[in-house]
Amino acid sequence: MSNTAWRNRAASKSARSKASLPAPDRARAGDLADRATQVTAEWAPTAARVLLGLVLAWFGYHELMAPQLWTGYVPVIAPGSGLALAAVLVHGWVLLMLAVAITAGVVLRLAAAVAALLLVQIVVTLTITGGLTDLTLRDVGVLGLAVCLTGATRQRALLTA
Amino acid sequence: MRIAGDTIGPRGIAVLAVSAVVGVLLGLHGWSGRHNGLPSTLAGSGPRPSAPARVSRPARSPATTSPATPSPAPSPGPKLSSQSYASYSYQVWPGPLSTAAKAAATGLVIAVHRHGSGIMVTAGVAGRPAPTPRFYPAGAKVFVVEAALGDDSGNSDYNLGDDGLVVTNSQERILQ
C-alpha cells in the first residue's frame, strides 16, 4: 500500500473514532491530549537530563570509590598497574563532573557534547574488544541521549544563575 | 559568563567547584582502598570468549588423571562471610551451580576434580593457558567472585578486574 493511501486510511479511521464520541467528551479528550503533549514537550528534555546524569553519576561514583574493580575496562594498559587505577579515577571524576553539570543544567550543551564524546570512545572500545553485543548497544542508547541533549534548546530547571 | 553558547553564573560555578572537590575526595578514598579489592583477581586485558565455566564430576581414577603434584594445603584465613566481597561470591563447588554462579563464571574456566582426600582446583581466564592446579583438603568449597554481573555479555566478560576465586575450608575460612 502506498504512503498516501495508508495516511488517508489512518485519517478516516481516526475521524470515525472521534465522531463516535459525544461533542463535549471529544473536546475534553482533545484538551487532555494537547495538555499532555505540552507537558511532555516542556519536561521531557529535563527528564532526559536527569536520567543521563543519573547514569553518569552512578558510574562515576563507583569508579571513584572502587577503581580496582574497573581497571579491566582500560584499554592497552595492564589492569593491575597503578596507571590503570589512575586512569579509572580520572575517568570517574570526569563522569561525576559531567553528571552534575548535566543534571543541574550548568553549561548543558558543552557537558552533553563531552559526555557524547566519552560515550563514543566507550562504544568504540567495547566494539573493538568484544564486538557488537547487548552491552555495547545499551551504551549506544545512552550515547543517543547525550547527542540529543547537545542540541536541546528548551529546558526547564536550568541552573544558569 | 558564557561558555560554548551557554550562560554560567556564580551558582553554577559553585556547584561545579563543590562537585570537583567531592570527586577528588572520593578519588582519594578510592586510591587509599585500592588494595581492598578481590582475592586472587583474575584480571585480564580485555574481554575473552569463553566456554561455560565447567565444574567436573569426580574422576573415577584420580591417581591416573592427576594433572600436578598436590601442593601443601594453605592455612585457613578469615571467614568468607566477614569479607567485603562475600555478598557477591557464588558457590561453584560443591554443586549444583546456581544461575548466578554460572553468570559470574562467564569468561572464566574453573575446573574442580576430586583428588585423593581433597580436590584439585584450576581457575583461569578462558582463552589463556590454564594455571597450575592447586590441592585443597576434603570439605573445601570453591566460590567465584563477580562484583558486577552487568559486565558480562554472552560468552564475554568485559571487565575481569572484578572477578576472583575464593576457596574455603568446610568452616568457610578462606584458604585462597
Side-chain angles (χ1 to χ4, degrees):
Chain A
M1 187 186 299
S2 73
N3 276 350
T4 313
W6 183 86
R7 269 201 300 272
N8 288 341
R9 194 172 157 179
S12 67
K13 196 174 172 184
S14 170
R16 273 202 308 275
S17 154
K18 279 184 181 168
S20 64
L21 286 173
D25 286 352
R26 210 160 53 226
R28 202 177 307 136
D31 284 351
L32 273 175
D34 288 347
R35 179 140 179 76
T37 307
Q38 197 181 348
V39 169
T40 306
E42 278 185 23
W43 287 98
T46 308
R49 232 172 67 208
V50 172
L51 293 173
L52 178 63
L54 193 67
V55 172
L56 299 177
W58 193 93
F59 281 97
Y61 173 79
H62 285 279
E63 286 179 21
L64 287 168
M65 290 297 283
Q68 71 277 11
L69 301 182
W70 297 84
T71 53
Y73 286 110
V74 182
V76 184
I77 306 169
S81 67
L83 194 58
L85 270 177
V88 171
L89 287 172
V90 170
H91 193 262
W93 186 84
V94 172
L95 287 183
L96 196 68
M97 292 295 291
L98 290 174
V100 171
I102 288 171
T103 307
V106 182
V107 286
L108 173 64
R109 280 174 294 183
L110 177 65
V114 175
L117 285 177
L118 214 64
L119 283 158
V120 165
Q121 174 263 314
I122 291 169
V123 167
V124 168
T125 307
L126 289 182
T127 307
I128 289 170
T129 55
L132 273 179
T133 64
D134 47 355
L135 288 186
T136 316
L137 287 173
R138 194 170 56 190
D139 287 345
V140 170
V142 183
L143 168 63
L145 201 54
V147 170
C148 275
L149 287 173
T150 59
T153 49
R154 285 186 65 183
Q155 285 282 341
R156 300 290 294 250
L158 282 179
L159 185 59
T160 52
Chain B
M1 191 192 336
R2 285 183 76 79
I3 300 174
D6 286 326
T7 308
I8 180 169
R11 268 191 267 175
I13 292 172
V15 165
L16 288 185
V18 168
S19 52
V21 171
V22 169
V24 168
L25 292 176
L26 289 175
L28 288 174
H29 178 272
W31 179 261
S32 64
R34 65 191 181 279
H35 300 301
N36 301 337
L38 304 171
S40 61
T41 298
L42 298 161
S45 57
R48 304 280 165 188
S50 77
R54 59 193 157 79
V55 177
S56 72
R57 290 287 139 209
R60 284 189 184 278
S61 53
T64 56
T65 57
S66 168
T69 307
S71 51
S75 55
K79 289 201 84 165
L80 173 60
S81 56
S82 68
Q83 300 302 303
S84 58
Y85 49 83
S87 58
Y88 37 84
S89 299
Y90 306 93
Q91 187 169 322
V92 293
W93 178 274
L97 278 177
S98 65
T99 309
K102 280 180 194 162
T106 301
L108 310 175
V109 177
I110 302 168
V112 184
H113 301 271
R114 281 200 198 283
H115 182 88
S117 61
I119 56 172
M120 295 293 286
V121 179
T122 313
V125 177
R128 293 190 198 174
T132 311
R134 294 196 64 178
F135 176 79
Y136 297 94
K141 294 178 181 175
V142 182
F143 297 84
V144 62
V145 181
E146 169 75 288
L149 292 169
D151 59 10
D152 299 335
S153 173
N155 288 336
S156 297
D157 188 331
Y158 277 91
N159 176 24
L160 290 163
D162 66 347
D163 297 55
L165 190 87
V166 176
V167 182
T168 69
N169 63 13
S170 53
Q171 285 83 46
E172 298 208 349
R173 290 194 174 278
I174 296 171
L175 299 174
Q176 179 201 335

